[in-house]
Amino acid sequence: MSVIANDASALLLDQVNQALAAKTPLRIQGGATKAFLGRAVEGQLLDVREHRGIVSYDPTELVVSVRAGTPLAELEATLDEAGQMLPCEPPHFGEGATVGGMIAAGLSGPRRPWSGSVRDFVLGSRIITGQGKHLRFGGEVMKNVAGYDLSRLMAGSFGCLGVLTEVSLKVLPKPRQCTSLRLEIDLERALLKLAEWGQQPIPISAASHDGQALHLRLEGGEGSVGAARERIGGEDLDPGYWNDLREQRLAFFADPRPLWRLSLPNNTPALELPGDQLVDWAGAQRWLKSDADAVTIRGIAIEVGGHATCFSEGATTNPFQPLSAPLLRYHRQLKAALDPQGIFNPGRMYSEV
Amino acid sequence: MNILYDERVDGALPKVDKAALLAELQAQLPDLDILHRSEDLKPYECDGLSAYRTTPLLVVLPERIEQVETLLKLCHQRGVPVVARGAGTGLSGGALPLEQGILLVMARFNKILEVDPAGRFARVQPGVRNLAISQAAAPYELYYAPDPSSQIACSIGGNVAENAGGVHCLKYGLTVHNLLKVDILTVEGERMTLGSDALDSPGFDLLALFTGSEGMLGIVTEVTVKLLPKPQVAKVLLAAFDSVEKAGRAVGDIIAAGIIPGGLEMMDNLSIRAAEDFIHAGYPVDAEAILLCELDGVEADVHDDCARVSEVLKLAGATEVRLAKDEAERVRFWAGRKNAFPAVGRISPDYYCMDGTIPRRELPGVLKGISDLSEQFGLRVANVFHAGDGNMHPLILFDANQPGELERAEELGGKILELCVEVGGSITGEHGVGREKINQMCAQFNSDELTLFHAVKAAFDPSGLLNPGKNIPTLHRCAEFGRMHIHNGQLPFPELERF
Ligand SMILES: Cc1cc2nc3c(=O)[nH]c(=O)nc-3n(C[C@H](O)[C@H](O)[C@H](O)COP(=O)(O)OP(=O)(O)OC[C@H]3O[C@@H](n4cnc5c(N)ncnc54)[C@H](O)[C@@H]3O)c2cc1C
């Protein structure tokens, strides 16, 4: 797989410096596949897609450094050729998804509860800051505690803290064995089972319930996967299910009502929700199709110690759950430290940030 | 260049009237345990980096969060610096006190508040020892994965502050990967929760930013950690090599075979011999290097992986590959490694433990560089290495009673860290910057990067009262350090005024 490489960082830095001089807000964009998520940004387009390519990749180091504009599909194909992967299975939500967008959105796929999230695999970054400098944090090593961890902070910050130009990620070998199964049990029972299995060394790497059945993926060595498959039973499942789940292409997602994501503590029981639900992450992530208002949906999530995000553009003015007063204050102070003129994606997450 | 707080380069500290502060603390917090006599303060002069000592102004030992809250509010109003301390096992001087500051000891917060096996988490106070969490989870066949070698003593609050690692990081991650939620008190004494009981939380990932922030951004008051099911079995292979290069390449080969060991450690001849003398682990003392490779998980997989790894090790030129025949031998193999530091302590009056990380492929070159430096400085260096994740712990052997040897050891240590930076690594993998590596931060980061770090600090602590002088050097310190230390003929920080 050859990946087109082009270093456009000087150009990006120029554009940021011009924006700083003119005090023009910037709307940072890769493939625009996740533009629907979050609040609309008024600003001049800063397209990072020209800045692309894999800067270094040594499979035996388990580290890849890649420019932000690189198509996510190209990165995945390169890793795949070497028998490796991004364990957090980030969703693309469209053909043009870039690595920068994947980090900025910080979304992870079905393997997340077992593998860790996007931020868990970030080792280092290069960032154009609100001071108009192109800086480097973290690095290409697994362990590094020099200075504050600004690289992991970038994950899920939706471009509000700077322009990410490059990221170094930990990667892992693909599992030797992978099998998927479908077990016809109801949600209550499925959640109880998952809580029980969660306390045992069973190689589950995805667990979702679609209202009808529990869908499980087992990954590991031949022995452990075989034994678990035997023990759990059920029928074979087309592994394409997991990709359709992470890309939101299952029939559930076609429902025209707004889509909400509830992020809940492990072992949260089955919940009565005002709409249809699809359970992922062994219950820690629940998708909800609902016309109910934000306050109602968030109330349910908060009640059990979680939070809710709206995934449908325009369905609510605050797609991300509002922050507590002290948290909001520190968000603003941090934003002011990294982006003193407030030019990076202002308001994308919260109107005040 | 001395690492003790130097107001000339580290910035002026507020002047605090000890008697007035003590009187006010006693009045506002009558039930707070406060130490103020010099003989009582003495045990708190240093952390694990014992070559550097400073007597704190006062030591406080709170037992309730409300006391910490009131204390912080008072210190904030009066402009009194506060240095947090957990168990004091830190190796980088992170909890080194200030003459003009309060040392806030969190060790008495030692309660495990909740262990939830079905939710797979434990909620604990910050002074709880790392190992105590796994012990509390053991009845449920669960454990807390990060296992620093100091785990019987170090506190989880200190682990959060240092983003502590251990020998199982490659597979199970660092502290940051094993946290759900951290409750903190800000410098103003305001309560705030970072993270949540769910797997993520709204807003910026302040939990990631806070982890490893060395007591500079807030005080940890409660920690919710993830628990994992205990692996069914763990097996250890010991492989001997006649050169460290071969051992280094074998590590890459194991990973290339698609295997992520639970632990993968390397020791050089000097550490092998020291450990063998001390622990009688059964190490081959003639080997130039050994690898310890632990494979853990479900029995059938571990069995297969052992066979695969044995094969890889033999192909990589191992002169001997041994599988620990039973649990007792496995524990013995590990005991040698886990006691490598004290073992080296027996063959030298003093040793100085470094903590650099490098891309693994650079290992042969870096080891060669270390051995050249060792010769140049006339000090022996023993190497133990978290080989799986590129984290080296060179131990520099010296005798503090010989005039100038400590300084020589420190200078040699500094050079080793700079070598790590040169090959694309880092000056600290898990022990933190603290005061110890404050000068080497100037080699790792440029002035714009350091300036941004200071801005982050100011976003949380504008008056700079939390652990002043740690973690991030002032640009003045870097300029001064650079003046003494011109690298490859280039003056670092050329943009700064020299004085
Ligand atoms: C023999 C030995 C082996 C070691 N092995 C390892 C190892 O394998 N891996 C590893 O990572 N480390 C290791 N260490 C280093 C040390 O144990 C860790 O850094 C540990 O995390 C420190 O915890 P502590 O409670 O002793 O913290 P302290 O030393 O008391 O403090 C460390 C830092 O944390 C801050 N801090 C402490 N408590 C709080 C709090 N409640 N709120 C805010 N800030 C706080 C302090 O200000 C300071 O900056 C080792 C140390 C020794 C002595």
Side-chain angles (χ1 to χ4, degrees), chain A residues 143, chain B residues 47-48 83-96 104 106 126-127 147-151 153-167 175 210 213-216 218-221 337-338 341-342 351 386 391 393 429-432 434 467 470:
Chain A
K143 286 161 97 179
Chain B
D47 60 7
V83 177
R85 175 182 165 114
T89 68
L91 291 173
S92 56
L96 184 70
L104 168 59
M106 299 296 285
D147 60 340
S149 304
S150 51
Q151 69 181 152
C154 64
S155 74
I156 188 71
N159 289 174
V160 171
E162 299 288 10
N163 192 14
V167 297
T175 303
F210 189 89
S213 64
E214 302 194 3
M216 308 278 293
I219 304 298
V220 179
T221 57
R337 166 61 187 89
K338 289 208 171 180
F341 296 5
Y351 69 90
H386 300 305
N391 189 187
H393 291 312
E430 55 184 15
H431 295 168
N467 217 0
K470 307 288 170 59

Side-chain angles (χ1 to χ4, degrees), chain B residues 184-218:
Chain B
I184 66 164
L185 279 166
T186 67
V187 68
E188 290 161 43
E190 186 172 26
R191 292 181 193 217
M192 192 153 77
T193 298
L194 313 179
S196 78
D197 293 324
L199 295 181
D200 44 45
S201 51
F204 299 143
D205 199 332
L206 298 186
L207 181 57
L209 178 66
F210 189 89
T211 309
S213 64
E214 302 194 3
M216 308 278 293
L217 305 183

Side-chain angles (χ1 to χ4, degrees), chain A residues 60-61 112 119-120 136 143-145 170 176 198-199 201 221 224 261 263 266-267 307 329 331 333, chain B residues 117-118 120 170 176-177 190 199-200 204-205 298 301 305 308 357 360-361 391 426 428 430 449 459:
Chain A
T60 67
E61 297 282 338
R112 190 261 175 263
R119 77 93 132 123
D120 289 330
R136 189 185 291 276
K143 286 161 97 179
N144 184 353
V145 292
K170 178 177 174 180
R176 280 208 294 275
Q199 297 167 67
S224 64
R261 170 182 180 268
S263 174
N266 277 339
N267 201 32
H307 64 97
R329 183 151 71 86
H331 272 67
Q333 284 167 204
Chain B
R120 270 167 293 128
L170 180 65
V176 69
H177 300 110
E190 186 172 26
L199 295 181
D200 44 45
F204 299 143
D205 199 332
V298 175
D301 293 358
D305 282 347
R308 279 195 181 85
T357 54
R360 241 184 304 95
R361 60 177 173 268
N391 189 187
S426 161
T428 172
E430 55 184 15
E449 287 152 357

Side-chain angles (χ1 to χ4, degrees), chain B residues 279-461:
Chain B
I279 298 293
H280 311 298
Y283 291 170
V285 290
D286 298 333
E288 280 307 308
I290 58 167
L291 282 181
L292 289 175
C293 178
E294 177 159 292
L295 298 156
D296 65 357
V298 175
E299 183 133 30
D301 293 358
V302 173
H303 185 81
D304 290 356
D305 282 347
C306 278
R308 279 195 181 85
V309 171
S310 290
E311 206 48 43
V312 170
L313 290 168
K314 281 177 199 149
L315 280 175
T319 52
E320 185 192 356
V321 180
R322 255 192 275 161
L323 175 68
K325 61 179 182 302
D326 51 24
E327 185 60 15
E329 190 169 46
R330 186 184 80 88
V331 169
R332 231 175 12 255
F333 281 177
W334 273 121
R337 166 61 187 89
K338 289 208 171 180
N339 287 292
F341 296 5
V344 166
R346 291 169 77 239
I347 60 168
S348 169
D350 298 283
Y351 69 90
Y352 181 33
C353 172
M354 310 308 299
D355 170 44
T357 54
I358 55 169
R360 241 184 304 95
R361 60 177 173 268
E362 304 289 348
L363 183 67
V366 171
L367 286 176
K368 173 79 174 55
I370 292 177
S371 111
D372 292 348
L373 285 166
S374 157
E375 213 155 286
Q376 186 190 328
F377 281 79
L379 295 172
R380 289 185 296 166
V381 179
N383 284 292
V384 293
F385 187 47
H386 300 305
D389 45 32
N391 189 187
M392 330 183 63
H393 291 312
L395 303 171
I396 302 170
L397 280 54
F398 71 101
D399 180 353
N401 288 328
Q402 299 299 317
E405 274 209 8
L406 170 64
E407 291 70 24
R408 249 187 18 251
E410 285 177 341
E411 202 183 333
L412 169 54
K415 296 270 187 225
I416 292 176
L417 296 183
E418 284 157 33
L419 193 58
C420 293
V421 175
E422 265 168 45
V423 301
S426 161
I427 58 169
T428 172
E430 55 184 15
H431 295 168
V433 174
R435 278 309 280 183
E436 185 207 15
K437 275 155 280 195
I438 197 80
N439 292 331
Q440 277 72 41
M441 280 293 279
C442 312
Q444 180 103 52
F445 295 102
N446 69 31
S447 59
D448 291 324
E449 287 152 357
L450 294 173
T451 301
L452 200 69
F453 284 147
H454 286 297
V456 169
K457 162 77 169 164
F460 283 82
D461 176 17

Side-chain angles (χ1 to χ4, degrees), chain A residues 184-320:
Chain A
E184 214 149 306
I185 53 175
D186 65 21
L187 180 59
E188 283 78 10
R189 236 177 90 66
L191 291 173
L192 284 174
K193 275 283 166 207
L194 287 165
E196 179 193 322
W197 293 329
Q199 297 167 67
Q200 298 165 7
I202 295 177
I204 294 174
S205 75
S208 144
H209 197 285
D210 64 356
Q212 254 84 58
L214 174 64
H215 299 67
L216 283 180
R217 184 174 60 191
L218 303 167
E219 287 178 336
E222 293 80 358
S224 64
V225 169
R229 179 73 183 78
E230 195 140 303
R231 176 174 156 194
I232 294 169
E235 60 204 66
D236 283 338
L237 170 72
D238 174 359
Y241 176 85
W242 303 112
N243 200 37
D244 289 346
L245 172 63
R246 92 164 164 169
E247 298 300 344
Q248 303 190 344
R249 284 196 299 247
L250 294 172
F252 168 87
F253 293 101
D255 183 328
R257 286 174 294 176
L259 177 67
W260 287 82
R261 170 182 180 268
L262 275 62
S263 174
L264 308 174
N266 277 339
N267 201 32
T268 302
L271 298 176
E272 283 285 344
L273 297 176
D276 287 341
Q277 53 177 313
L278 175 71
V279 170
D280 194 7
W281 294 6
Q285 172 170 270
R286 301 187 196 184
W287 298 103
L288 171 67
K289 281 284 186 180
S290 173
D291 282 323
D293 60 58
V295 175
T296 307
I297 293 170
R298 293 208 162 108
I300 299 170
I302 292 170
E303 176 79 29
V304 293
H307 64 97
T309 310
C310 183
F311 265 61
S312 292
E313 200 171 0
T316 164
T317 43
N318 292 312
F320 296 108

